[in-house]
Amino acid sequence: FYGQSEWAIHNQVFIALIVFCLHVLVQIETKSKRKTLQISRYLRAALWKPAHIWL
């Protein structure tokens, strides 16, 4: 964990859960057979690409 306070740790856990849920939604919407980690790697690689890749 990056934070030292209890509130910071709660925030980090909630953010991790939100990110996981978003990855699962991407997996469902794209009907992908790939694992969550593979989707995460693809999204991270495409993060700074031009907008037309996301459409």
Side-chain angles (χ1 to χ4, degrees):
F1 295 106
Y2 294 107
Q4 300 296 322
S5 70
E6 181 180 347
W7 186 248
I9 293 172
H10 281 270
N11 284 340
Q12 290 174 38
V13 170
F14 288 134
I15 289 170
L17 288 171
I18 290 168
V19 169
F20 176 76
C21 290
L22 289 173
H23 283 94
V24 170
L25 285 173
V26 167
Q27 187 178 24
I28 291 169
E29 287 294 318
T30 60
K31 296 180 177 113
S32 176
K33 302 283 187 200
R34 296 183 176 167
K35 296 182 180 183
T36 307
L37 181 61
Q38 292 172 324
I39 292 171
S40 176
R41 288 178 179 162
Y42 175 76
L43 291 174
R44 183 175 293 168
L47 183 61
W48 301 109
K49 303 283 183 180
H52 72 276
I53 291 175
W54 292 95
L55 302 176

